[in-house]
């Protein structure tokens, strides 16, 4: 009630908010500044906050150490698997939202549990299988395996989204003799675009970040960015600058995407669990 | 008896090479490589000085032969796994990079080709190959298994004592420690004060623990991994003395030593935090360069300290061998490459670029010891090393996991030295028993 | 409301997705199950042989396996409550009116940690927690605490993993709970706030019921993700020092990739999968609204 009490609370809140922002952002700040240090500067103890920056690490890492190549691979794999997941997942989500059939609950549960499966369970068998199919170290192997988590995301979010579209539109179209496919494509899909977009962005982010499959299945030709990060774990020398430069390059795309989708990110991550 | 067979194989090869060169006219790399121009070779490299040196030499090879060598750099931690998976999956690695402890494994799985396949072919073999010029220890330990030679030593190490002569001088020492006992009794206490430590022993839970930490304190004390009939020797009085010594020595080492890998130990010396380390010879360049080290002229090198059983320095190294899964052209091209890279003629260049060749002739010039302070210690160390410093049989990957786990547990104090050694011994014997060493199914080779 | 459609239509819509997931999810799984009944080591392929349930028997009685599960459970038991507590605090603050600009900024900042590549978090942790060159120790020095050896000490390394897990996922919890708070009807909230000055009372009686679905969602997801945890500890400590940070996924990777015992790794994975599915089933069956 009294103005001073309110403003004191406001101050406390303000401080807390600044703390939150700092806490979240500081590691990134440190990552970027370390990436601009030469090894000599990086090995200063205590660490320097003010120094002459250099872009040499980025240059080396992108071109000599083939991180640029790894980033391109990540881009290819993440885009393709997202496209595939959306292409396969949207119709399936529509069916789950609109159609009635036996075993729907169990099917739904099966789709979902795939998200909970640890890659480590599948990685070794897939390695052996991909050897026989000649798919080892190809983008295809990763694109397919990433469906185990991107497809569930698309299905979850889009099922929700489709369910929230009013049925009247459907019914009107049915009366006019339209087929399910036409209803899906012409009416529901456009209306569900927000959900589709969110699930696409999330699929992209998760595919980009994935490490274990990439590490075991794609050691060279299709090496993705996170797998590249592991390359610097050689016990011989720890080039801090280069490691942080690689890290910065790896996270920038996902951070941008995450900020774009920030409003819907939480919903996607919980896959509509919050209601 | 293994050695005799080795010598006879060498003699035969040398004889064949000699015999042929007389009739065929001068052998040149360019001539030999003509049929294989355009071949591409795949090999894994590590992010270490020797490989950086080799990478600088690649353009010259390609220009002379038209053979392109594609290398992929991986961390040591992954190198074994990647090659195993590649060989099992029928991938495209043409040249195998073999750590000495992997050679039993690779050889028994028939993933690598013995060199006599190539040395028998005069068109492919450089008359100057001179296998006898390699330090016998290196050729035997890094490239040989069960009487056959598979690879030529490429990235070669010996454990050396690197020390900060200025720090020692300040504490009143003019010479580095000659024995481990001296380290425990005089050097350790004198140098561990004011936030500085006398010694850092890299002990991280990976191959570093087995090779650098565990084995290093077995052999100089008269201990070993196995007895003559392949039972565990870790609970013998000598082995126990050595392992207990390591435990006691920890009071002169920085805290958290169990998480120290090579980079941490080397850095500790380079930044002036410890007085000496026993590390691989390859780190000389890192310790000498002003970009990575503050030592400058204070850097000095000596052979590792001796124990009651003498000087048994840590032995490590990689050879390059031709992979069995390569096609015939790739095999021949691969052999030419390996031969060229490790040749007498190129050893000087390799040394200059930061590598450590295993050619005795490369170190013949006494002037080199001025520029490369590690040479005298290295040459001396390679005279006395033990090939089975770590058993190199096919079961080593499983055994080393056990050693790494329990070796670090010992150091962390989670288990006593005696108990830890007994556990390692039991598990090791279990692995060897399952592999058939005790019922004669497998020859007792290490 | 849903309708019945001809089979053909149903298969056309759902078929491709099901087929794809069968291919990449079920087939490898079947393969893993098959292999788990064999002694199958990549470096000893010639010695592969059927061993029945031996691998399973070994794993279920293997202290190393259960220690890894124990560590994973401990991580969960420590990190998640902290995340919930901090997340709730943050959500409550963000939920209040006022300071619009800062609130938006805070909301955007919260998005960053959860989207970061997990492998990078581990590398970042290594750099920042380094005993000599790390900024965390530098900052501790400013308030008079001696440098702590994080990565090299078993307990501290474990704590380090917990700290970074909290850093990465508290924002996630905060945002979920914030979304949950926004489902509280504003009239009820305002009415309650007028009746009592105590925030605690408002929280407990008015907001909490609406927060329950969000809290359940957090539990489900954090359980699944903690069981899967691999990337961050892998790049931070590789499971060390000793085995201090060897969580279940890291153990399985080590058995498969360093000891090359694929049969054993498969048995371990299947057991872990069984536990995951059992927990997921439990959670979803009891707490979640179904389709």
């Amino acid at each position: 009630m009294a103005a001073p009490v309110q403003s004191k609370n406001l101050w406390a809140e303000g401080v807390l908010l600044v703390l939150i922002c700092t806490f979240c952002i500081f590691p990134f700040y440190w990552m970027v500044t370390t990436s601009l240090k030469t090894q000599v500067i990086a090995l200063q103890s205590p660490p320097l906050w003010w120094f002459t920056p250099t872009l040499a690490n980025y240059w080396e890492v992108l071109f000599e150490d083939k991180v640029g190549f790894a980033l391109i691979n990540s881009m290819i794999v993440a885009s393709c698997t997202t496209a595939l997941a959306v292409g396969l997942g949207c119709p399936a989500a529509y069916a789950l939202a609109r159609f009635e059939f036996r075993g729907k609950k169990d099917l739904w549960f099966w789709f979902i549990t795939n998200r909970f499966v640890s890659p480590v369970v599948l990685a070794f068998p897939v390695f052996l299988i991909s050897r026989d199919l000649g798919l080892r170290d190809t983008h295809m192997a990763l694109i397919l395996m990433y469906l185990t988590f991107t497809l569930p995301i698309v299905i979850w979010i889009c099922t929700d989204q489709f369910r929230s579209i009013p049925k009247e539109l459907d019914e009107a179209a049915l009366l006019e003799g339209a087929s399910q496919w036409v209803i899906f494509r012409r009416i529901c899909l456009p209306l569900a675009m927000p959900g589709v977009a969110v699930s696409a962005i999330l699929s992209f982010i998760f595919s980009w970040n994935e490490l274990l499959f990439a590490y075991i299945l794609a050691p060279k030709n299709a090496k993705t960015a996170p797998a590249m990060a592991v390359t610097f774990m050689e016990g011989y020398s720890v080039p801090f600058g280069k490691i942080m430069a690689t890290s910065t390059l790896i996270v920038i795309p996902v951070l941008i995407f995450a900020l774009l989708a920030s409003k819907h990110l939480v919903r996607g991550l919980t896959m509509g669990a919050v209601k | 008896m293994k050695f005799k067979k080795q010598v006879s194989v060498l003699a035969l090869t040398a004889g064949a090479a000699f015999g042929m060169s007389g009739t065929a006219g001068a052998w040149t790399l360019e001539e030999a490589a003509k049929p294989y121009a355009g071949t591409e070779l795949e090999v894994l490299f590590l992010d270490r000085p020797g490989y950086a040196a080799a990478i600088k030499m690649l353009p010259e090879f390609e220009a002379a032969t038209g053979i392109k060598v594609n290398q992929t750099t991986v961390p040591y931690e992954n190198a074994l796994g990647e090659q195993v998976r590649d060989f099992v999956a029928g991938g495209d690695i043409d040249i195998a990079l073999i750590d000495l402890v992997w050679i039993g494994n690779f050889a028994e799985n028939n993933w690598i080709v013995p060199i006599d396949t190539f040395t028998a072919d005069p068109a492919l073999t450089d008359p100057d190959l001179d296998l006898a010029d390699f330090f016998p220890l290196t050729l035997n330990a890094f490239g040989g298994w069960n009487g056959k030679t598979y690879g030529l030593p490429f990235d070669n190490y010996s454990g050396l004592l690197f020390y900060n002569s200025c720090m020692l001088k300040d504490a009143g020492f003019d010479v580095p420690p000659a024995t481990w006992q001296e380290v425990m009794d005089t050097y350790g206490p004198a140098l561990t004060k004011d936030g500085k430590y006398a010694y850092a022993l890299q002990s991280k839970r990976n191959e570093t623990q087995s090779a650098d930490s565990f084995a290093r304190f077995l052999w100089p004390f008269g201990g070993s991994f196995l007895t003559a009939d392949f039972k565990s020797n870790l609970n013998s009085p000598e082995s126990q003395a050595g392992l207990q010594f390591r435990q006691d020595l920890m009071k002169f080492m920085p805290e958290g030593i169990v998480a120290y890998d090579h980079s941490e130990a080397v850095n500790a010396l380079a930044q002036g935090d410890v007085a000496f380390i026993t590390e691989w010879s390859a780190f000389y360049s890192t310790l000498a360069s002003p970009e990575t080290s503050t030592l400058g002229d204070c850097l000095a090198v000596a052979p590792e300290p001796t124990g009651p059983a003498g000087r048994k320095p840590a032995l490590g190294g990689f050879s390059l061998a031709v992979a069995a899964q390569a096609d015939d052209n790739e095999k021949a091209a691969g052999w030419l490459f390996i031969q060229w890279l490790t040749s007498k003629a190129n050893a000087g260049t390799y040394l200059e670029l930061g590598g450590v060749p295993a050619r005795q002739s490369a170190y013949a010039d006494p002037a080199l010891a001025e520029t490369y302070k590690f040479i005298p210690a290295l040459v001396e160390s390679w005279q006395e090393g033990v090939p089975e410093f770590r058993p190199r049989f096919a079961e080593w990957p499983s055994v080393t996991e056990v050693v790494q786990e329990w070796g670090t547990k010992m150091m962390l104090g989670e288990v006593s030295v005696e108990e830890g050694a007994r556990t390692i011994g039991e598990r090791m014997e279990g692995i060897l028993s399952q592999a058939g060493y005790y019922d004669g199914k497998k020859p007792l080779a290490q | 409301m849903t309708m019945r459609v001809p089979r053909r239509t149903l298969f056309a819509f759902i078929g491709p997705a099901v087929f794809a997931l069968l291919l990449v999810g079920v087939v490898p799984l079947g393969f893993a199950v098959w292999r788990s009944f064999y002694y199958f080591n990549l470096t000893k392929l010639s010695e592969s042989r059927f061993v029945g349930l031996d691998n399973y028997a070994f794993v279920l009685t293997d202290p190393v396996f259960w220690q890894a599960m124990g560590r994973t459970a401990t991580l969960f038991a420590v990190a998640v409550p902290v995340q919930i507590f901090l997340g709730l605090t943050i959500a409550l603050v963000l939920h209040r009116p006022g300071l619009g600009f800062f609130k938006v900024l805070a909301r955007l900042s919260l998005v960053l940690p959860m989207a970061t590549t997990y492998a990078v978090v581990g590398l970042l942790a290594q750099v920042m927690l380094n005993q000599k060159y790390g900024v965390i120790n530098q900052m501790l020095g400013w308030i008079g605490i001696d440098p702590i050896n994080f990565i090299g000490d078993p307990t501290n390394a474990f704590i380090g993993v917990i700290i970074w897990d909290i850093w990465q996922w508290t924002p996630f919890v905060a945002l979920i709970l914030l979304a949950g708070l926004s489902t509280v009807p504003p009239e009820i909230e305002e009415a309650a706030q007028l009746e009592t000055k105590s925030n605690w009372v408002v929280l407990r009686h008015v907001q909490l019921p609406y927060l329950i679905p969000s809290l359940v969602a957090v539990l489900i997801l954090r359980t699944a993700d903690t069981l899967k945890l691999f990337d961050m500890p892998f790049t931070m400590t590789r499971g060390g020092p000793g085995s201090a940070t060897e969580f279940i996924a890291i153990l399985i990777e080590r058995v498969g990739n360093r000891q090359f015992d694929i049969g054993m790794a498969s048995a371990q994975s299947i057991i872990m999968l069984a536990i995951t599915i059992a927990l997921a089933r439990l959670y979803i069956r009891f707490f979640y609204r179904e389709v």
Side-chain angles (χ1 to χ4, degrees):
Chain A
M1 242 108 340
V5 175
Q6 274 231 319
S7 72
K8 191 155 67 149
N9 271 341
L10 229 48
W11 268 108
E13 267 188 39
V15 166
L16 194 60
L17 288 175
V18 168
L19 270 176
I20 293 174
C21 292
T22 318
F23 195 62
C24 291
I25 299 185
F26 182 69
F28 296 106
Y29 168 76
W30 195 254
M31 177 174 74
V32 175
T33 51
T34 309
S35 71
L36 298 169
K37 292 181 177 173
T38 60
Q39 186 71 345
V40 177
I41 298 178
L43 287 179
Q44 294 295 320
S45 168
L48 292 176
W49 289 65
W50 199 250
F51 56 93
T52 337
T54 168
L55 283 177
N57 289 325
Y58 283 98
W59 197 253
E60 270 179 55
V61 144
L62 271 176
F63 300 113
E64 280 174 25
D65 297 321
K66 304 200 209 152
V67 169
F69 173 69
L71 287 170
I72 295 177
N73 282 333
S74 276
M75 186 64 77
I76 295 177
V77 170
S79 318
C80 292
T81 197
T82 302
L84 200 55
V86 168
L88 291 174
C90 283
Y94 181 74
L96 281 171
R98 288 289 199 247
F99 304 165
E100 182 58 54
F101 52 94
R102 220 181 24 211
K104 187 157 80 158
K105 286 184 193 153
D106 288 318
L107 190 66
W108 178 88
F109 180 73
W110 177 60
F111 275 133
I112 290 342
T113 34
N114 275 289
R115 198 258 198 211
F116 296 145
V117 170
S118 167
V120 94
V121 175
L122 301 175
F124 296 120
V126 174
F127 162 73
L128 292 170
I129 294 177
S130 64
R131 139 173 87 141
D132 294 328
L133 293 178
L135 280 181
R136 202 174 156 249
D137 208 6
T138 56
H139 296 106
M140 203 47 169
L142 288 181
I143 292 173
L144 288 177
M145 286 321 293
Y146 285 1
L147 285 178
T148 54
F149 50 85
T150 52
L151 205 45
I153 293 176
V154 171
I155 291 181
W156 273 74
I157 297 181
C158 292
T159 309
D160 251 4
Q161 192 77 22
F162 283 124
R163 247 193 275 119
S164 65
I165 297 177
K167 292 231 75 190
E168 294 76 44
L169 296 166
D170 283 33
E171 280 157 14
L174 268 177
L175 286 174
E176 288 184 36
S179 73
Q180 286 291 351
W181 181 251
V182 168
I183 301 179
F184 168 66
R185 262 207 70 211
R186 294 275 165 77
I187 301 178
C188 292
L189 198 54
L191 288 175
M193 264 312 164
V196 175
V198 167
S199 56
I201 292 184
L202 282 174
S203 298
F204 188 88
I205 293 180
F206 282 128
S207 311
W208 186 276
N209 286 343
E210 205 283 329
L211 174 65
L212 191 64
F213 279 133
Y215 171 60
I216 293 186
L217 298 178
K220 199 170 56 138
N221 294 330
K223 192 169 197 155
T224 61
M228 202 66 214
V230 174
T231 312
F232 288 116
M233 288 166 56
E234 170 78 61
Y236 240 65
S237 67
V238 186
F240 289 116
K242 290 215 286 187
I243 293 177
M244 291 291 101
T246 312
S247 303
T248 312
L249 290 171
I250 293 176
V251 298
I252 283 183
V254 264
L255 290 184
I256 295 179
F257 269 115
L259 286 174
L260 283 177
S262 60
K263 251 195 343 168
H264 309 280
L265 199 71
V266 166
R267 186 160 169 246
L269 285 172
T270 61
M271 295 196 272
V274 181
K275 267 296 171 343
Chain B
M1 79 195 145
K2 213 174 28 176
F3 185 66
K4 274 215 200 121
K5 258 176 113 176
Q6 193 71 10
V7 171
S8 56
V9 166
L10 288 179
L12 237 115
T13 321
F18 258 110
M20 295 304 170
S21 66
T23 46
W27 182 95
T28 64
L29 179 63
E30 290 76 2
E31 277 295 315
K34 272 224 184 93
Y36 312 108
T39 318
E40 292 202 19
L41 296 172
E42 308 291 326
V43 65
L44 292 187
F45 271 4
L46 304 180
D47 187 13
R48 297 184 179 186
Y51 304 83
I55 290 175
K56 293 202 188 92
M57 292 164 74
L58 290 183
E60 187 191 328
F61 183 74
E62 196 180 329
T65 61
I67 300 174
K68 189 157 183 354
V69 178
N70 295 325
Q71 57 86 14
T72 312
T73 304
V74 297
Y76 173 79
E77 287 303 303
N78 301 358
L80 176 62
E82 303 240 356
Q83 289 187 104
V84 168
R85 285 198 292 279
D86 195 274
F87 294 143
V88 164
D92 48 4
I93 291 183
D94 304 304
I95 297 178
L97 176 70
I98 314 178
D99 188 348
L100 87 170
V101 283
W102 303 338
I103 192 144
N105 201 342
F106 284 20
E108 286 185 17
N109 279 307
N110 294 316
W111 289 332
I112 48 182
V113 181
I115 66 171
D116 46 29
T117 318
F118 306 104
T119 52
D121 181 352
L124 288 177
T125 309
D126 185 349
D128 247 351
L129 177 58
D130 199 1
L131 289 173
D133 182 44
F134 284 112
F135 284 91
L137 176 67
T138 62
L139 186 62
N140 187 14
F142 306 165
W145 175 251
N146 219 8
K148 278 191 168 185
T149 308
Y150 292 87
L152 298 182
F154 162 57
D155 183 29
N156 314 294
Y157 309 92
S158 171
L160 295 177
L161 180 72
F162 292 100
Y163 64 99
N164 186 331
S165 55
C166 305
M167 266 177 96
L168 259 62
K169 197 154 289 177
D170 288 340
F173 300 106
D174 279 327
V175 288
T179 70
W180 283 113
Q181 204 56 46
E182 276 176 29
V183 173
M184 180 75 85
D185 298 333
T186 42
Y187 287 80
L191 291 162
T192 309
K193 53 182 196 265
D194 301 329
K196 308 280 183 194
Y197 295 89
Y199 179 55
L201 176 66
Q202 55 284 11
S203 301
K204 193 162 188 183
R205 187 191 168 181
N206 53 35
E207 192 65 20
T208 307
Q209 164 69 216
S210 304
D212 294 62
S213 187
F214 197 83
R216 197 178 243 117
F217 284 89
L218 277 185
W219 297 95
F221 287 81
S224 67
F225 281 97
L226 302 169
T227 61
D229 33 306
F230 271 35
K231 294 288 163 107
S232 166
N233 197 30
L234 294 173
N235 283 87
S236 71
E238 295 83 9
S239 298
Q240 285 291 301
L243 290 174
Q244 188 59 48
F245 189 88
R246 178 181 72 156
Q247 208 64 25
D248 297 334
L249 205 55
M250 280 175 73
K251 56 180 180 279
F252 302 126
M253 302 186 208
E255 60 169 296
I257 195 76
V258 179
Y260 270 50
D261 208 337
H262 302 291
S263 64
E264 284 82 10
V266 170
N267 242 344
L269 182 66
Q271 306 298 323
D273 295 322
V274 307
F276 50 88
I277 57 177
T278 43
E279 257 288 6
W280 296 117
S281 42
F283 286 109
Y284 179 74
S285 36
T286 316
L287 288 166
S289 156
E291 277 177 34
T292 41
S293 159
T294 60
L295 286 177
D297 285 328
C298 292
L299 172 66
V301 190
E304 289 191 20
T306 60
R311 187 188 329 276
K312 309 277 180 209
L315 185 67
F318 294 81
S319 64
L320 290 174
V322 175
Q325 69 183 8
D327 66 46
D328 290 328
N329 278 349
E330 289 162 343
K331 282 193 176 120
W335 167 250
L336 287 175
F337 176 64
I338 297 173
Q339 189 181 227
W340 178 86
L341 192 59
T342 58
S343 63
K344 268 200 293 203
N346 282 323
T349 321
Y350 186 59
L351 180 64
E352 274 168 43
L353 291 173
V356 179
R359 291 275 184 184
Q360 303 189 59
S361 53
Y363 302 108
D365 183 356
L368 284 173
E370 299 293 310
T371 339
Y372 303 101
K373 290 198 232 171
F374 65 88
I375 290 182
L378 179 73
V379 171
E380 195 184 327
S381 299
W382 272 344
Q383 312 292 349
E384 305 175 89
V386 185
E388 60 274 9
F389 191 75
R390 284 167 284 162
R392 304 170 300 136
F393 43 38
E395 288 69 30
W396 179 252
S398 311
V399 171
T400 187
E401 286 286 321
V402 178
V403 173
Q404 291 167 25
E405 186 187 344
W406 293 89
T408 43
K409 277 194 158 85
M410 270 188 227
M411 290 179 83
L412 287 170
E414 290 172 20
V415 76
S416 78
V417 169
E418 199 210 323
E419 209 187 303
R422 200 160 342 106
T423 313
I424 299 178
E426 281 165 11
R427 299 201 177 192
M428 196 163 53
E429 286 178 6
I431 294 170
L432 295 177
S433 168
Q434 208 186 40
Y437 284 97
Y438 299 143
D439 17 300
K441 276 200 268 177
K442 264 193 147 169
L444 299 183
Q446 52 172 335
Chain C
M1 258 122 19
T2 52
M3 62 183 96
R4 300 217 77 119
V5 290
R7 253 215 184 148
R8 219 162 32 94
T9 320
L10 185 61
F11 283 176
F13 275 82
I14 288 230
V18 171
F19 177 70
L21 270 184
L22 275 176
L23 193 66
V24 294
V26 175
V27 169
L29 206 54
F31 201 79
V33 173
W34 177 47
R35 275 290 165 226
S36 67
F37 296 125
Y38 281 76
Y39 171 74
F40 187 70
N41 187 316
L42 285 185
T43 58
K44 301 205 170 221
L45 286 176
S46 51
E47 293 179 34
S48 304
R49 58 180 185 278
F50 183 76
V51 289
L53 291 174
D54 277 2
N55 284 336
Y56 286 98
F58 184 83
V59 173
L60 288 172
T61 54
D62 184 13
V64 174
F65 179 78
W66 291 110
Q67 278 163 12
M69 288 299 289
R71 277 178 216 114
T72 317
T74 312
L75 171 68
F76 179 78
V78 174
V80 174
V82 174
Q83 287 164 12
I84 293 183
F85 176 71
L86 288 177
L88 190 58
T89 316
I90 297 176
L92 285 170
V93 168
L94 284 177
H95 185 62
R96 289 149 152 297
L99 285 179
F101 172 67
F102 283 103
K103 297 245 163 77
V104 170
L105 208 59
R107 244 193 303 259
L108 284 178
S109 324
L110 285 173
V111 162
L112 297 180
M114 26 176 209
T116 315
T117 313
Y118 317 121
V120 166
V121 176
L123 290 177
L124 202 47
Q126 247 196 51
V127 170
M128 288 179 68
L129 288 179
N130 192 301
Q131 192 177 13
K132 245 188 109 179
Y133 312 114
V135 66
I136 303 274
N137 273 319
Q138 181 184 35
M139 296 201 283
L140 285 176
W142 292 340
I143 52 176
I145 303 183
D146 281 330
I148 300 181
N149 182 5
F150 281 103
I151 313 254
D153 176 276
T155 324
N156 291 343
F158 196 81
I159 295 179
V161 171
I162 293 180
I163 292 179
W164 283 95
D165 195 66
I166 292 176
W167 176 81
Q168 185 159 27
W169 294 106
T170 304
F172 169 71
V173 174
L175 289 175
I176 295 190
L177 293 179
L178 185 60
L181 278 175
S182 64
T183 61
V184 179
E187 318 83 52
I188 305 186
E189 246 190 329
E190 279 172 21
Q193 272 160 349
L194 283 174
E195 274 192 49
T196 162
K197 271 219 194 118
S198 163
N199 285 324
W200 170 245
V201 171
V202 174
L203 172 65
R204 198 165 169 279
H205 293 268
V206 175
Q207 293 168 320
L208 207 54
Y210 289 90
L211 281 179
I212 300 247
S214 323
L215 285 170
V216 168
V218 163
L219 269 176
I220 294 178
L221 291 160
R222 290 309 300 139
T223 311
D225 285 342
T226 306
L227 274 171
K228 281 164 66 169
L229 186 63
F230 175 77
D231 307 14
M232 194 254 285
F234 187 68
T235 50
M236 187 169 141
T237 59
R238 269 242 173 164
S243 9
T245 56
E246 188 168 79
F247 301 104
I248 189 68
I250 297 194
L251 168 66
I252 298 180
E253 190 267 347
R254 182 163 67 78
V255 171
N257 266 343
R258 303 237 225 130
Q259 294 176 257
F260 303 112
D261 193 344
I262 305 277
M264 185 70 66
S266 298
Q268 288 171 331
S269 310
I270 301 294
I271 292 178
M272 189 180 110
L273 182 62
I275 296 178
T276 310
I277 294 193
L279 284 174
R281 260 218 125 86
L282 238 97
Y283 280 149
I284 291 186
R285 203 91 314 176
F286 282 115
F287 295 123
Y288 195 81
R289 198 202 81 210
E290 290 163 22
V291 177

